[in-house]
Amino acid sequence: MPALAISTDQGQLTGRGLEGFYRAGRRLLSRCQLRVAGREPVAVQARMLSADHARFMATLRPSADGGPDPDVVVERTRYADGTERILLRSASGRHLRLPVELSLGTDLAELGAVASGNTGPELSPTVHDSGMRWTSPVGTCVVAAHPAPADALASAGLLRWEVELAPGGTWSLELRVRPEGAGPVRSVGHGMSRSLATARAAGDDPRARTLLERSVEDLQALLLRDPEHPADVHLAAGAPWRCGLAPAEALAAARMALPLGTRIALGTLRTLARRQLAGKGPRAGMIPGPLRNAGPHLPPGCTGVEATLLFPVLLAEAWRWGLSAQETEELLPAAERCLRWLLSAAGDRGRLPDPYPGGPARCETQAHAHRAALLGADLLDAHGRPGGADLLQWAERLRGTFREDFWVEDRAGGRPAAARLADGRPVPLLTGGAAHLLDTGLLGSGVLAPGLLDKVRTEQLARLLGGPAMDSGWGLRSLGVKEAAYNPFGHRGGAVRVHETAVAVAGLASAGYEKEASALLRGVMAAAETFGYRLPEMYAGEQRTEGGAPLPHPAACRPAATAAAAGVQLLTALAGIRPDAPAGTVTLSPVRSAPLGELGLMALRVAGAPFSVRVSRLGLAMVEEAAEGLQLGV
């Protein structure tokens, strides 16, 4: 990620933990401690003002003989681009003369070393112009101060000022933290207002407005450019742990963000198409991706398999949302290579292993593969390309074998197995990954593709996902509480994963199980409120209690691309927007129970134009703004 700042709510950067200013994955400044009149200000408030800057308020009594009221208010505004502004404001009725000191330090360590605690000691600075300079074999950092300090002590990394404050007066200081010779960093999102719609929400539940606003803000903050093709943008997976391109997460987030426009989807698809494996061999056509922990019961899965299956799905749905014919045609060859790999990797058995080859056949991987085959066939047929019939035949064969191989019968009505091992044994665990069985994808005329489960098994899955073993009250657990090795903090062993919960809400709603969808939605909305509407990618799956709050996961990214995009999907799913831009139609299938009351969604984008819809308290949807000529389907 180009720039990042990590702070505690105390405002001081102490050099402990992850604190500091970062650029391109390296910590430029780890310590920035302010003292006024020899004392540290007392922190009173910390607030995120937007995704790229925060404000810290503190107060100070310079002398010990005063009353309880502070004499000075200290305001620090910290920006991710490496800028910090400090403002002292007098609240005293007398003239104040205050020495101000900043103690600075850094190790110029990489984020990975910081995260693992292998940073080494602070470097020795030198005085440089109006600030300090640190140099190491891996880089150089310069901190410039305006106004320039009255005194600078290199041995202690100390900058000093003598400040005169009249009653009610102010004094300000600006720090700029940069690699030597580098200019300021400009957020990709700030220069690309058209990448994301200026979407807004309004209605009975004020949380909807704030959640959508914060979700869009976070998506803009996570936008990155492909360095070799700067017109193409994609989403970083999240901060602070995964600040680069993670193919599966980038595709999943771009797909959930389609109601905001197709620009991110286009940039993501182009970027990954250039990384697609070429040539011959068993991996030809794959989108490469690293292995990912799959919980306590299965070996790591391959995000490359998931990304390869998501690629044609995102292209097919982006085309329905309004991606131009020319842009779609440009990306069709890459989608065809993904689909050819799917048929080759699945082989005669019809099941797709993950990782490929030799891994277990995971339930959610079959759901991804089935959706890719159906949407891929629809895309190829619509553009006169061969291969659609083979994909449809394979999908039909998988539907038959899946219901036999992956459904485990029991006295409670059965459940989908989490996986089938290479030797054929099922892993009969109830996991949040089963929610992907409900995510079938969008075909033409607003029709959803058929799923792997029949009606009876879909109803049983809905009952399971909405039951107390899976619904924590804050969202969907990634593993049921009754399963062996359940851990409320387990990434895929019990924690609530926001992306998976959004998939479940949208899938349950589209399948007609509104009670279960509404319960999960309300849980995530309540969790969002406790997190200041900046949802982390996951949090503990402990049961919700009266007056309680979900526990943050220490390794969760926040903001995270999939969590921010999930906020968009959760709200737009209530309107059930199903566009078919090539046919000039859009179908609405709103949640009739209206779990958030009346809800208006404004300035979304369908067919390249603003689109606004309102869902009444009775669950009736009405289009208020749309592209010229766009017809409401039935």
Side-chain angles (χ1 to χ4, degrees), residues 546-573:
E546 185 68 28
L551 295 175
H553 192 292
C557 288
R558 180 172 175 261
T562 53
V568 177
Q569 185 179 34
L570 286 167
L571 296 176
T572 55

Side-chain angles (χ1 to χ4, degrees), residues 90 155 241 355 395 417:
S90 173
S155 61
W241 309 110

Side-chain angles (χ1 to χ4, degrees), residues 50-87:
S50 72
D52 66 349
H53 71 290
R55 184 178 66 188
F56 306 90
M57 301 297 295
T59 60
L60 185 80
R61 283 194 299 144
S63 61
D65 57 356
D69 300 333
D71 292 318
V72 179
V73 177
V74 181
E75 178 180 335
R76 300 175 73 167
T77 307
R78 184 167 296 144
Y79 296 82
D81 68 358
T83 302
E84 176 156 344
R85 296 188 176 97
I86 300 173
L87 177 71

Side-chain angles (χ1 to χ4, degrees), residues 332-359:
L332 273 174
E336 288 178 301
R337 289 191 288 271
C338 290
L339 295 168
R340 284 197 294 270
W341 174 85
L342 164 60
L343 293 180
S344 172
D348 297 334
R349 293 195 308 171
R351 297 198 301 260
L352 183 65
D354 178 10
Y356 173 80

